Amino acid sequence: MSDFPSPFFRWRPHPWHGLEVGPEPPRRVHAFIEICPFDMVKYEVDKATGYLRVDRSVRSSSQHPTLYGFVPRTYCGDRVGKLMEQASCGDGDPLDICVITERPISKTEIILNARVVGGLPMCDNGEADDKIIAVIEDDPLWAKIDDLSELPPALIDRLMHYFLTYKYVPGKEHQVSIGNPYGYEHAKVVIEAAIQDYRDHFGGE
């Protein structure tokens, strides 16, 4: 039997556990994309297999304003939960990330390098569910953005509106709230906490 050549993976790596956090976290991270702006269905990585699973149809008419996925080898646990005053804990998922790009990207299950600029402090049913905001690295329009304050306010408004409405179900009490958007300095703290939460929960260096 022949050996697989390095660094070839004999089996597909799990996108949450088998990929690296990124080249220079917390500023430059990897993003595994689950949803693109053309999707009207909520896809989410199946935690057991690493493949995309249909989570639910989105009831609202909103489409996601950006690419959406998560940062590998992060976990929203106790440290992330303590950073949000109204949250009792983290949501137990990898850290979500929204990636802005000038060119439309319609594919999902892709990996990209993202430059972190800020985030949204979303609380979902009492759990911290931060949405990190980043720009795709080397993007001709957005690559030089360093902080959320440099982005058009209308784009942040769209992201906030999407996350405030995408779980809306008529007749049920709304459980989602979003505080004031934050810039890179706080996003850095959230990402570092999520990396440490992952190490505490799953082990590793």
Side-chain angles (χ1 to χ4, degrees):
M1 181 180 293
S2 298
D3 292 333
F4 285 90
S6 180
F8 184 83
F9 292 98
R10 181 169 184 172
W11 311 116
R12 168 180 165 152
H14 196 296
W16 186 8
H17 308 294
L19 303 177
E20 297 296 327
V21 176
E24 293 178 356
R27 173 63 90 174
R28 296 171 62 229
V29 299
H30 288 148
F32 180 81
I33 302 303
E34 299 166 293
I35 304 172
C36 77
F38 302 94
D39 290 324
M40 294 301 291
V41 173
K42 172 74 164 59
Y43 299 102
E44 188 169 298
V45 161
D46 180 78
K47 292 182 173 64
T49 66
Y51 285 92
L52 277 191
R53 178 182 291 277
V54 174
D55 184 49
R56 65 182 177 276
S57 295
V58 179
R59 288 176 176 259
S60 76
S61 60
S62 298
Q63 287 181 270
H64 207 293
T66 68
L67 297 170
Y68 179 72
F70 62 84
V71 181
R73 298 194 189 186
T74 58
Y75 180 76
C76 296
D78 291 340
R79 284 179 170 82
V80 172
K82 288 176 181 177
L83 294 173
M84 191 178 297
E85 185 176 347
Q86 64 271 39
S88 58
C89 59
D91 71 350
D93 284 336
L95 185 60
D96 295 326
I97 187 168
C98 304
V99 184
I100 300 166
T101 172
E102 183 226 354
R103 295 281 180 157
I105 295 176
S106 60
K107 293 184 181 297
T108 58
E109 292 194 277
I110 60 173
I111 309 163
L112 56 81
N113 289 340
R115 179 179 175 82
V116 174
V117 298
L120 300 176
M122 178 170 144
C123 186
D124 186 354
N125 200 27
E127 298 177 338
D129 189 11
D130 287 80
K131 308 300 181 185
I132 296 299
I133 299 175
V135 298
I136 194 168
E137 196 170 66
D138 297 329
D139 187 277
L141 188 62
W142 304 107
K144 294 186 178 180
I145 298 292
D146 285 324
D147 192 82
L148 192 80
S149 60
E150 301 172 48
L151 291 173
L155 182 53
I156 308 305
D157 290 343
R158 287 176 190 168
L159 282 165
M160 292 181 69
H161 179 265
Y162 176 81
F163 287 116
L164 285 170
T165 59
Y166 82 124
K167 286 190 174 181
Y168 173 73
V169 177
K172 290 190 176 181
E173 184 179 356
H174 198 52
Q175 299 290 338
V176 176
S177 63
I178 299 177
N180 292 326
Y182 52 76
Y184 172 70
E185 287 305 313
H186 186 69
K188 172 183 175 181
V189 174
V190 174
I191 293 169
E192 289 173 339
I195 291 171
Q196 191 57 54
D197 274 342
Y198 181 91
R199 292 169 180 165
D200 290 346
H201 193 76
F202 294 105
E205 296 297 326

